[in-house]
């Protein structure tokens, strides 16, 4: 039975029993930050089981994509070492949402396995939860399972729960005995053993209790069913294989690996393990990247990076030192691309991304890997099983060799890292590092830290107003607190309250004016050296400012409004990028100033002109819709619950400010914004490019800057049209370029065909055995011009052999031509080879035309002279 039939038989069987076939959900859970990847069929139905939502159908069946790598339920390390574990696998399942219960679940499973899949009843065993007598009884009463093949196991094995509280219940598994030769052979080997003999095929979960916070169980009014069977396991069993990797699901992948690495499968244990690890991982990699995940150093992206690195490491073991994994994606698509079209659709992008990641890894890892391999060999030779932690740390510190990878490799080699020593070395390094950068940070910050408690926080009132009457609390000049500052002084002024925005969150500080009784100062910039402290950097134009003075503050409104336009546009851009380019887009940095906005984001490839145009258009549409921009202050939890995007690496307090364009964009942001999107006026992208690998940058203009920019472009175009005297400059320029090309050719012809050179050349015609031979040198021609010259000579002499040469830029070019009538007797390529050889160079070509050259110009003349001898022979 082919795996595709096994899959559809399952789904159709349950459909015939009143189940709705529900499509798989993505591997990356969209609304569950607590879960790395979907790891079971029930995940997409969680809210039904929890009673938070009502299921639209009483029964469902699925074939769910699952990933068990990273997080609590990781099987990453088992892959390749057991015959039954994968990172990525497909889970077949049937579900009852308060509809049928144990009896039906048992009957369905038994019926499908023994009647449709025709598994031999006598090889099947079941496990039950030791306190669940009901299940054990049902197994013997309903299907006649003999008592000795019903194995009761404890809670750690057969009691399932969704979390510390909530729905839970006993499980019952269907297990197949694959025979003594498959197992570990230990005398106590039995159901529940870690080896592959008693293979767990199918797990039936009977959700019948609710656990409350005190841990007490109360029966659920409507118990439910959740089951899961690994497709790879049942496929291997039905295809008579003792190892998942020998089923048809993996066949094309394994043969691709074997042929890429030029090794054979099934001949060598260690090699087979590497092949299987790669075969497993490449499926996970393909699916995760297709779903938009990008390798990174945190969370899900890091799991992906780890899997890629593990695979890369195994491909190295197989002798492949160039990126090769990306070539296997095709085989994954061959095996299950028809069931999961997303992997076929994303093929090119996935391949590109994987190749880049492989290349990056190989670049950074090469040296470290060699040293690590040596270390392993040394430790093994010494008969030890522990890798010295200091040395692993040194590899990490010096070569950036990832510790996780070191652990993986060690595990594969049956070794352990001395983690304690490793941590000690890491700690020592941290202390050294701290000692070395204390200097600078500490030198500046204490000043402000001392100041803050003395003068109190600056109250920021600049969201509502751009003017204020404030009191000077302190003045700092040249790193010291001073009482006053006089005309011409440049200093930092601190106020009780201020309308000036202090540089933060990518938005630049405000500029403007500060006016005292008799003083006037320009505010050049505003910084926030500490949270709650605004430092106004001013230059006094007139009079004196003293601590305690009352001042009138005026933010440069024009600049501030321009900044606000850019800031609000940045939020719109972020939201649009996520919808146009993909959900994986994350802000990686931004700069918002009055002049322009700059937005860095995670994305792998460049945006094409189409995408840029789409982004520009969508953003301008949002401007025209004139949507309100709403800011509110709330606690962090409600903000995140409402879907606000938080930036990775930013620290947020208990209460946060949320800026939203309802229904379109919502972000945590302390910046200054327009009241509605219409104020942005206009948006144009001026550039798009790469800043680091995996990070793109967009620069754009809004409002009058955007208008100015477009006006400039238009006036340039107008000038161009005037110069070209046309309304269609593109056509005209194309024509001019074409004309230029033919003119260049014409010039070459003229240069080389000029009477003087040609007639000089024709003077060199010699008769050799009744045949015309022209040997000619004229310096200063490039190879192309030389060819034209030879062509011209050929035209004139009609029949004969031409050897022409020219020295230019310190090199000599040689051309040989043989007219058609002589090409059976003489071969231009052969002739040039000989001449070039004498000249210390090289050459070759076709019978009628050949070219060569040399750098040893002093040998040229002698070589040309030899043509007569060569032709005589
Ligand atoms: P095992 O003990 O073999 O790791 P499990 O108890 O973790 O299995 P469940 O969580 O009950 O398995 O998952 C339900 C079914 O999914 C299993 O019976 C098995 O057929 C399949 N399955 C689980 N983990 C994997 C895996 N890593 N690779 C392939 N199939 C798996
Ligand atoms: Mg498991």
């Amino acid at each position: 039975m082919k795996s595709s039939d096994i899959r559809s038989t399952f789904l159709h069987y349950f459909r015939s029993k009143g189940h709705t076939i529900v499509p798989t959900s993505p591997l990356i859970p969209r609304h569950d930050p607590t879960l790395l990847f979907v790891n079971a069929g029930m995940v997409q139905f969680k809210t039904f089981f929890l009673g938070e939502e009502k299921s639209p159908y009483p029964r469902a069946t699925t074939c769910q994509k699952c990933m068990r790598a990273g997080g609590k339920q990781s099987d990453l390390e088992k892959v390749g070492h057991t015959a039954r574990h994968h990172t990525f696998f497909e889970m077949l399942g049937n579900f009852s949402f308060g509809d049928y219960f144990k009896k039906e679940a048992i009957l369905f499973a038994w019926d499908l396995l023994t009647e449709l899949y025709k598994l031999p009843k006598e090889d099947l065993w079941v496990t039950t939860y030791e306190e669940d007598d009901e299940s054990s009884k049902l197994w013997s009463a309903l299907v006649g399972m003999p008592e000795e093949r019903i194995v009761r196991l404890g809670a750690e094995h057969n009691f399932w729960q969704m979390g510390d509280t909530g729905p839970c219940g006993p499980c019952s598994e269907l297990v197949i005995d694959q025979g003594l030769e498959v197992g570990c052979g230990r005398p106590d080997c039995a159901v529940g053993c870690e080896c592959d003999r008693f293979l767990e095929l199918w797990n039936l979960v009977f959700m019948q209790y609710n656990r409350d916070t005190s841990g007490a169980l109360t029966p659920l009014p409507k118990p439910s069913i959740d089951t899961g069977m690994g497709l790879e396991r049942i496929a291997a069993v039905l295809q008579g294989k003792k190892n998942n990797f020998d089923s048809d699901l993996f066949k094309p992948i394994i043969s691709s690996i074997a042929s890429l690495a030029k090794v054979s499968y099934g001949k060598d244990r260690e090699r087979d393990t590497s092949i299987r690890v790669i075969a497993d991982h490449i499926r996970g990699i393909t699916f995760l990247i297709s779903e938009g995940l990008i390798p990174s150093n945190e969370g899900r992206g890091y799991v992906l990076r780890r899997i890629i690195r593990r695979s890369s490491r195994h491909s190295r073991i197989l002798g492949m030192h160039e990126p090769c994994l990306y070539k296997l994606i095709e085989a994954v698509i061959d095996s299950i691309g028809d069931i999961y079209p997303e992997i076929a659709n994303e093929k090119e992008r996935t391949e590109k991304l994987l190749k880049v990641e492989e290349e990056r890894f190989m670049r950074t890892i090469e040296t470290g890997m060699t040293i690590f391999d040596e270390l392993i060999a040394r430790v093994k030779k010494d008969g030890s099983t522990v890798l010295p932690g200091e040395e692993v740390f040194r590899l990490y510190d010096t070569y950036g060799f990832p510790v996780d990878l070191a652990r993986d490799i060690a595990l594969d080699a049956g070794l352990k890292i001395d983690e304690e020593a490793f941590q000690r070395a890491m700690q020592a390094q941290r202390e050294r590092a701290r000692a070395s950068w204390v200097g600078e940070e500490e030198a500046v910050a204490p000043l402000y830290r001392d100041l803050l408690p003395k003068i109190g926080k600056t109250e920021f009132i600049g969201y509502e107003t751009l003017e204020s009457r404030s009191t000077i609390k302190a003045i700092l000049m040249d790193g010291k607190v001073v009482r006053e500052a006089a005309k011409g002084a440049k200093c930092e002024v601190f106020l009780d309250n201020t309308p000036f925005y202090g540089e933060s969150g990518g938005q630049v500080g405000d500029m403007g004016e500060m006016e005292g009784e008799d003083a006037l100062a320009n505010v050049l910039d505003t910084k926030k050296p500490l949270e709650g402290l605004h430092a106004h950097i001013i230059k006094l134009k007139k009079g004196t400012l003293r601590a305690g003075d009352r001042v009138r503050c005026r933010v440069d409104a024009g600049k501030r409004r321009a900044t606000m336009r850019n800031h609000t546009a940045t939020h719109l851009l972020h939201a649009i990028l996520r919808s146009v380019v993909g959900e994986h887009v994350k802000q990686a940095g931004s700069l918002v100033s009055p002049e322009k906005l700059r937005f860095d984001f995670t994305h792998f490839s460049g945006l094409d002109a189409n995408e840029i145009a789409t982004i520009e258009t969508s953003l301008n549409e949002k401007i025209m819709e004139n949507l309100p921009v709403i800011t509110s202050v709330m606690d962090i939890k409600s903000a995140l619950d409402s879907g606000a995007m938080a930036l990775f690496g930013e620290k947020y307090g208990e209460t946060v400010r949320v800026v939203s364009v309802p229904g379109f964009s919502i972000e945590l942001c302390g910046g200054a914004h327009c009241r509605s999107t219409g104020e942005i006026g206009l948006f144009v992208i001026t550039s798009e490019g790469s800043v680091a690998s995996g990070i793109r940058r967009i620069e754009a203009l809004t409002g009058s800057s955007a208008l100015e920019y477009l006006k400039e472009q238009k006036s340039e175009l107008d000038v161009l049209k005037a110069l070209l005297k046309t309304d269609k400059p593109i056509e005209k320029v194309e024509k001019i370029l074409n004309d230029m090309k033919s003119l260049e050719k014409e010039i070459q012809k003229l240069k080389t065909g000029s009477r003087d050179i040609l007639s000089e050349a024709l003077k060199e015609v010699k008769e050799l055995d009744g045949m015309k031979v022209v040997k000619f040198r004229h310096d200063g021609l490039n190879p192309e011009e030389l060819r034209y010259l030879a062509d011209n000579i050929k035209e004139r002499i009609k029949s004969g052999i031409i050897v022409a040469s020219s020295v230019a830029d310190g090199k000599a070019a040689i051309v040989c031509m043989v007219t058609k009538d002589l090409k059976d007797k003489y071969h231009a390529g052969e002739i040039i080879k000989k001449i070039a050889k004498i000249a210390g160079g090289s050459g070759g070509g076709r019978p009628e035309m050949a070219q060569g050259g040399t750098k040893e110009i002093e040998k040229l003349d002698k070589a040309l002279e030899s043509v007569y001898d060569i032709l005589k022979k």
Side-chain angles (χ1 to χ4, degrees), residues 68 73 75 78 85 233:
R68 292 189 178 181
Q73 229 177 359
D75 285 332
K78 294 185 192 151
H85 286 103
R233 293 191 188 178

Side-chain angles (χ1 to χ4, degrees), residues 23-258:
T24 178
S25 67
L27 279 174
I28 300 170
R30 300 287 174 224
H31 303 290
D32 193 349
T34 62
L35 186 66
L36 269 178
F37 303 114
V38 167
N39 56 11
M42 57 77 55
V43 173
Q44 67 163 317
F45 303 122
K46 235 174 167 176
T47 54
F48 302 160
F49 289 126
L50 288 168
E52 290 170 357
E53 253 183 302
K54 193 176 157 13
S55 154
Y57 24 72
R59 306 172 175 201
T61 180
T62 60
C63 176
Q64 173 69 47
K65 306 191 266 190
C66 292
M67 188 86 192
R68 292 189 178 181
K72 265 185 272 167
Q73 229 177 359
S74 176
D75 285 332
L76 189 63
E77 273 102 22
K78 294 185 192 151
V79 173
H81 300 287
T82 72
R84 65 188 195 280
H85 286 103
H86 306 292
T87 53
F88 171 87
F89 65 99
E90 295 173 76
M91 192 186 283
L92 299 162
N94 57 293
F95 308 90
S96 148
F97 309 110
D99 188 30
Y100 62 84
F101 200 46
K102 286 182 192 171
K103 182 174 146 228
E104 291 86 344
I106 287 174
L107 280 172
F108 288 149
W110 187 256
D111 190 30
L112 181 61
L113 287 188
T114 59
E115 296 303 324
L116 277 85
Y117 290 153
K118 302 212 178 320
L119 288 180
K121 290 181 182 160
E122 61 281 8
D123 290 345
L124 291 174
W125 292 59
V126 298
T127 70
T128 57
Y129 174 49
E130 55 195 3
E131 291 176 24
D132 182 20
D133 289 332
E134 190 187 7
S135 306
S136 300
K137 283 199 188 113
L138 284 172
W139 279 115
S140 71
L142 293 173
V143 309
M145 182 63 76
E147 207 53 52
E148 63 277 14
R149 280 197 271 132
I150 303 175
V151 182
R152 291 164 179 254
L153 297 172
E156 72 289 348
H157 200 97
N158 269 352
F159 194 89
W160 179 89
Q161 51 193 60
M162 201 180 290
D164 294 337
T165 59
C168 54
C171 313
S172 179
E173 302 163 324
L174 284 125
V175 173
I176 188 162
D177 180 1
Q178 306 208 83
L180 205 59
E181 67 284 1
V182 178
C184 56
R186 280 194 288 264
D188 58 346
C189 179
V191 169
C193 178
E194 269 310 300
C195 76
D196 290 312
R197 172 172 172 184
F198 292 98
L199 176 69
E200 172 189 333
L201 279 177
W202 200 343
N203 190 2
L204 316 179
V205 180
F206 309 131
M207 265 181 241
Q208 67 186 97
Y209 303 111
N210 186 44
R211 195 190 290 278
D212 64 23
T213 43
S214 75
L217 298 178
T218 45
L220 287 170
K222 285 182 155 189
S224 294
I225 291 291
D226 150 34
T227 85
M229 169 160 68
L231 173 67
E232 296 74 8
R233 293 191 188 178
I234 183 72
V237 167
L238 292 177
Q239 291 164 12
K241 310 290 185 198
K242 302 291 185 236
N243 190 312
N244 284 6
F245 290 95
D246 295 334
S247 73
D248 65 342
L249 284 161
F250 286 91
K251 204 163 198 153
I253 305 175
I254 294 219
S255 24
S256 293
I257 299 169

Side-chain angles (χ1 to χ4, degrees), residues 447-448 451 474-494 535-540 543-547:
L447 207 60
Y448 297 107
L451 199 60
I475 303 174
L476 259 185
M477 212 188 308
D478 299 327
K480 279 199 247 11
V481 178
V482 294
R483 293 198 53 81
E484 55 175 52
K487 182 182 167 191
K490 204 177 154 192
C491 56
E492 288 171 49
V493 171
F494 300 84
H536 305 81
I537 296 159
I538 65 156
K539 182 153 177 151
L540 261 165
T544 308
L545 283 177
R546 294 169 203 85

